Amino acid sequence: MQAAWLLGALVVPQLLSFGHGARGAEREWEGVWGGAQEEEREREALMLKHLQEALGLPAGRGDENPPGTVEGKEDWEMEEDQGEEEEEATPTPSSSSSPSPTPEDTVTYILGRLAGLDAGLHQLHVRLHALDTRVVELTQGLRQLRNAAGDTRDALQALQEAQGRAEREHGRLEGCLKGLRLGHKCFLLSRDFEAQAAAQARCTARGGSLAQPADRQQMEALTRYLRAALAPYNWPVWLGVHDRRAEGLYLFENGQRVSFFAWHRAPRPEPGARPSSTPHPLSPDQPNGGTLENCVAQASDDGSWWDHDCQRRLYYVCEFPF
């Protein structure tokens, strides 16, 4: 029995290698040595069978389809084809595949990206510089416009001042040419109805002021002028006299205190008639308005002074320096 095992150990590897060589020869020279190969396969199969029987090895798939038969040959070729397919399916490293990136490649890639970012930032800085330049230009243009507007405003103000001076000079000349010239002043009647403050403003705009008779002579001359201008009617005309600051303290528009008065007095009873205890209903003594009537107007018929509500709209007479 030991001899049989020894014989198997020596013969079986050689037979197996012989079998593999025969199969390689079959694939290489198939179709050329057809008959010889067929006989070789039959002998190989027979030898393997006897060897397995001698060694007591179990019969494998080769017993069912020995290599010598057609079925065995097909099974053998199928196994070979499957082996070749498995070898083809097994991934082998290809020389054409890209190698793994090295640290130098990574650094180069990062530097390239940084260079791209730097170029983008440079373009952004260029555009920001262009915007800054445009903003500076717009700011300069706006400053020039403001300067031009300031110059225009100054010119307009100067023009308005010149117009005011021209209007005042025109009013002064008109007052002295059309009105009453008396000494170093002229009086001019205006037939526009205005409140006392508005009348003063209009006289000032024309270069004068509401009439401020300084003495009895000027008062009498103004009375004759107004009577001649408004006859046969009797119209109250604003003067530049008021007691708005304090009741009973009458001042001119220039702030000077009035030194004389020409208040209206009710008619006195004829000699021998009994005096009446009640005031005249149509012409009471003036001033009688108290704090409700603080501005003075002159009657055009007799030149007497009456106190009135300052908001009442009356004619007015302006005074201009000559």
Side-chain angles (χ1 to χ4, degrees):
M1 187 66 182
Q2 294 178 356
W5 279 104
L6 181 60
L7 179 61
L10 294 174
V11 175
V12 169
Q14 295 180 359
L15 292 177
L16 291 176
S17 62
F18 177 77
H20 288 293
R23 286 194 298 274
E26 177 189 5
R27 287 193 301 270
E28 185 177 357
W29 305 102
E30 184 176 3
V32 180
W33 308 96
Q37 289 178 355
E38 186 69 22
E39 293 178 356
E40 186 69 19
R41 281 195 295 271
E42 290 179 355
R43 286 196 299 270
E44 179 182 359
L46 183 60
M47 291 175 64
L48 288 174
K49 181 178 180 182
H50 289 309
L51 181 59
Q52 289 175 354
E53 290 177 353
L55 295 176
L57 298 175
R61 191 177 59 182
D63 296 338
E64 298 175 357
N65 295 317
T69 61
V70 177
E71 292 80 358
K73 179 180 178 181
E74 293 177 355
D75 294 340
W76 190 274
E77 291 178 353
M78 289 177 64
E79 290 177 359
E80 293 295 330
D81 294 339
Q82 290 177 359
E84 292 177 358
E85 291 177 358
E86 290 177 358
E87 291 178 358
E88 293 177 357
T90 303
T92 58
S94 176
S95 60
S96 62
S97 61
S98 59
S100 299
T102 62
E104 291 79 3
D105 296 336
T106 304
V107 172
T108 303
Y109 171 76
I110 294 174
L111 292 177
R113 293 301 300 272
L114 291 176
L117 292 175
D118 183 69
L121 289 175
H122 177 70
Q123 294 179 359
L124 182 60
H125 289 162
V126 170
R127 294 184 180 181
L128 288 177
H129 177 70
L131 289 177
D132 291 339
T133 304
R134 186 57 178 168
V135 168
V136 170
E137 293 176 354
L138 292 176
T139 303
Q140 293 178 352
L142 182 59
R143 186 180 298 110
Q144 293 176 358
L145 288 176
R146 287 179 177 175
N147 294 335
D151 295 340
T152 304
R153 190 183 304 109
D154 295 340
L156 181 59
Q157 184 177 0
L159 182 60
Q160 290 176 348
E161 292 177 356
Q163 183 180 3
R165 289 193 299 269
E167 289 180 354
R168 289 191 294 271
E169 184 65 19
H170 178 268
R172 186 183 65 83
L173 293 175
E174 183 182 23
C176 292
L177 291 175
K178 294 183 178 181
L180 173 64
R181 178 181 175 184
L182 184 63
H184 296 286
K185 63 175 61 177
C186 301
F187 297 104
L188 179 63
L189 174 67
S190 176
R191 289 179 171 84
D192 296 328
F193 292 98
E194 296 289 351
Q196 200 269 354
Q200 170 64 19
R202 296 193 64 175
C203 290
T204 302
R206 298 175 65 182
S209 174
L210 282 175
Q212 304 172 134
D215 50 33
R216 181 69 60 179
Q217 181 183 359
Q218 293 182 8
M219 184 67 204
E220 291 176 353
L222 182 59
T223 300
R224 291 191 299 268
Y225 168 69
L226 293 178
R227 182 187 302 117
L230 297 175
Y233 307 103
N234 181 24
W235 291 95
V237 179
W238 284 126
L239 298 178
V241 180
H242 62 84
D243 65 342
R244 288 189 294 259
R245 183 177 300 179
E247 180 63 24
L249 179 61
Y250 289 91
L251 304 174
F252 289 118
E253 288 292 339
N254 59 10
Q256 294 181 0
R257 187 168 184 176
V258 179
S259 60
F260 75 97
F261 301 93
W263 294 113
H264 172 78
R265 295 298 180 221
R268 294 294 183 261
E270 296 179 359
R274 295 181 58 184
S276 175
S277 60
T278 60
H280 195 285
L282 298 180
S283 58
D285 291 343
Q286 298 295 316
N288 66 341
T291 57
L292 298 178
E293 298 177 346
N294 296 320
C295 295
V296 177
Q298 179 176 333
S300 64
D301 59 348
D302 60 356
S304 59
W305 290 8
W306 296 65
D307 62 344
H308 291 281
D309 181 5
C310 295
Q311 299 302 318
R312 186 177 178 183
R313 297 169 65 87
L314 304 175
Y315 288 164
Y316 58 93
V317 59
C318 295
E319 173 186 304
F320 302 96
F322 180 74

